[in-house]
């Protein structure tokens, strides 16, 4: 049932999220991973940029003897050659304590855009040498996917934002699927923006205050946790093969699993909540 669920791990290694914004203790992480494993969740999304996340996951797998499939990301740098790139991958392998990384993503499209030939050749070489199984890119804009495909010229893994507010990629799922890409959605809760206290929905976020409050009201009328409403909105798109879900505690994980078990659908209920303003839907623009 939870084959499509990928556990997000940014807060395993650093303060993360606009609403909670804290790093989980190792004990909390282990509890969450224990429960995830029990439920058959076998994928974790991480990155070198997530502080100590890779080390925590690696320590868990070594101590428990439970090997998750890992998606990790090459940090954004101006790499000079293949050796520089390979060293970063070996660093991740060492921290994660795995023989092979299942999926390596470029954490930023800019890494690829700066050195297109080097990056495309290096990704293929890493695969040929058995250091990684699959590769791809994490993006913010649909055009970046097509640009990457134009150079790579073969299927890859792409991770993109998708949520009640941000539907840019959802509108293009058919086109993306035709390229035979493996589609992974992140930012289902828009880094916690949907849960921001009402008193903080001012200033920069004032333009979407009414939409956030209306979304909460909708959840109340349906007698659902807001997180469930947001999760099911993305989950209902079957072309999305993996959905990355971050949680702040074990209780949240349990709630989200129960939500998925309910097998609900809200395609029409959430019409009119889309936001086009990229200052709002792209967290790197927040201030």
């Amino acid at each position: 049932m939870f084959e499509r669920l990928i556990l997000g791990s940014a807060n395993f290694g650093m303060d993360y999220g606009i609403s909670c914004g804290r790093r989980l203790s190792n004990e909390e992480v282990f509890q969450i991973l224990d429960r995830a494993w029990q439920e058959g969740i076998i994928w974790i999304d991480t990155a070198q940029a997530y502080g100590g996340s890779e080390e925590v996951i690696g320590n868990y797998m070594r101590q428990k003897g439970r090997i998750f499939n890992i998606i990790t990301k090459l940090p954004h740098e101006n790499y000079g050659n293949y050796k520089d790139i390979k060293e970063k991958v070996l660093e991740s392998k060492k921290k994660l304590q795995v023989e092979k990384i299942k999926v390596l993503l470029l954490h930023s499209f800019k890494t690829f855009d700066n050195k297109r030939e080097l990056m495309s050749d290096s990704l293929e070489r890493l695969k040929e040498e058995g250091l990684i199984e699959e590769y791809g890119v994490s993006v913010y804009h649909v055009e970046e996917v097509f640009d990457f495909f134009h150079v790579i010229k073969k299927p890859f893994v792409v991770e993109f934002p998708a949520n009640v507010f941000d539907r840019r990629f959802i509108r293009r799922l058919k086109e993306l699927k035709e390229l035979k890409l493996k589609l992974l959605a992140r930012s289902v809760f828009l880094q916690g923006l949907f849960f921001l206290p009402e008193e903080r929905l001012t200033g920069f976020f004032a333009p979407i205050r009414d939409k956030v409050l209306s979304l909460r009201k909708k959840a109340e009328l349906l007698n659902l946790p807001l997180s469930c409403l947001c999760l099911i909105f993305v989950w209902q798109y079957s072309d999305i093969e993996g959905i990355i879900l971050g949680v702040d505690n074990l209780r949240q994980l349990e709630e989200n699993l129960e939500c998925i078990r309910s097998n609900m659908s809200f395609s029409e209920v959430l019409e009119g909540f889309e936001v086009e303003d990229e200052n709002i839907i792209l967290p790197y623009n927040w201030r």
Side-chain angles (χ1 to χ4, degrees):
M1 177 174 287
F2 303 120
E3 294 86 358
R4 297 167 66 206
L5 194 60
I6 302 169
L7 198 58
S9 67
N11 59 354
F12 289 8
M14 65 179 191
D15 294 339
Y16 183 81
I18 191 173
S19 58
C20 179
R22 71 178 184 91
R23 175 180 177 172
L24 304 185
S25 68
N26 285 2
E27 181 181 0
E28 289 174 302
V29 172
F30 277 38
Q31 288 175 347
I32 289 168
L33 293 180
D34 278 343
R35 191 75 185 104
W37 184 268
Q38 291 166 7
E39 291 289 350
I41 299 167
I42 60 171
W43 285 92
I44 302 178
D45 177 83
T46 187
Q48 283 198 23
Y50 297 164
S53 176
E54 288 182 329
E55 291 98 328
V56 174
I57 295 166
N59 288 337
Y60 174 88
M61 293 194 295
R62 176 178 56 79
Q63 291 179 32
K64 301 278 188 167
R66 297 170 174 173
I67 308 303
F68 285 88
N69 293 332
I70 303 297
I71 301 167
T72 194
K73 306 180 192 73
L74 191 74
H76 176 52
E77 292 184 15
N78 186 23
Y79 297 99
N81 51 53
Y82 174 67
K83 181 173 177 288
D84 294 341
I85 296 167
K86 183 176 179 179
E87 283 179 356
K88 286 291 183 183
V89 175
L90 291 174
E91 190 178 320
S92 283
K93 277 180 78 272
K94 183 177 180 181
K95 292 175 180 176
L96 290 161
Q97 305 180 57
V98 293
E99 288 298 315
K100 178 187 288 189
I101 292 169
K102 284 288 185 178
V103 179
L104 178 74
L105 302 179
L106 304 185
H107 207 155
S108 170
F109 177 79
K110 291 180 182 178
T111 307
F112 166 76
D113 206 22
N114 289 345
K115 300 277 181 71
R116 293 181 171 226
E117 186 175 351
L118 171 64
M119 294 313 304
S120 58
D121 290 347
S122 296
L123 289 170
E124 194 61 34
R125 189 170 169 185
L126 288 167
K127 186 176 179 180
E128 290 170 357
E129 293 183 8
L131 296 175
I132 65 174
E133 203 163 290
E134 295 182 272
Y135 60 77
V137 62
S138 178
V139 299
Y140 278 103
H141 302 278
V142 181
E143 295 72 23
E144 294 171 342
V145 182
F146 294 104
D147 199 352
F148 194 81
F149 184 82
H150 179 73
V151 175
I152 299 295
K153 293 184 172 62
K154 62 178 68 175
F156 55 87
V157 182
V158 59
E159 187 176 299
F160 55 85
N163 53 67
V164 175
F165 282 0
D166 185 358
R167 308 186 188 187
R168 295 169 301 140
F169 286 84
I170 288 172
R171 289 196 299 261
R172 310 283 292 275
L173 283 176
K174 184 178 179 181
E175 293 173 70
L176 296 172
K177 203 64 183 174
E178 286 174 352
L179 299 180
K180 302 187 186 305
L181 307 182
K182 183 175 289 187
L183 307 178
L184 310 180
R186 67 171 190 273
S187 204
V188 173
F189 303 134
L190 196 46
Q191 291 193 17
L193 178 60
F194 297 132
F195 313 120
L196 206 62
E198 185 175 348
E199 62 270 17
R200 292 180 60 189
L201 292 171
T202 58
F204 184 79
F205 295 116
I208 47 93
R209 177 180 179 277
D210 289 345
K211 275 188 182 289
V212 173
L213 297 181
S214 180
L215 187 63
R216 291 175 187 172
K217 187 67 175 177
K218 186 77 71 173
E220 288 176 15
L221 291 172
L222 292 167
N223 197 29
L224 289 172
L226 178 58
S227 59
C228 183
L229 192 62
C230 295
L231 174 57
I232 290 300
F233 172 76
V234 180
W235 192 268
Q236 67 191 344
Y237 293 98
S238 58
D239 283 340
I240 300 176
E241 294 179 50
I243 296 172
I244 298 155
L245 182 70
V247 297
D248 294 326
N249 50 58
L250 185 59
R251 178 186 56 77
Q252 282 186 7
L253 176 61
E254 297 282 6
E255 284 183 357
N256 288 318
L257 295 180
E258 188 58 37
C259 177
I260 293 168
R261 285 192 189 96
S262 68
N263 200 29
M264 293 177 283
S265 177
F266 302 109
S267 54
E268 296 179 3
V269 174
L270 294 175
E271 289 305 314
F273 283 95
E274 188 168 0
V275 174
E276 300 290 347
D277 186 354
E278 292 191 352
N279 283 327
I280 299 297
I281 61 176
L282 299 179
Y284 64 73
N285 287 329
W286 293 354
R287 57 182 187 272

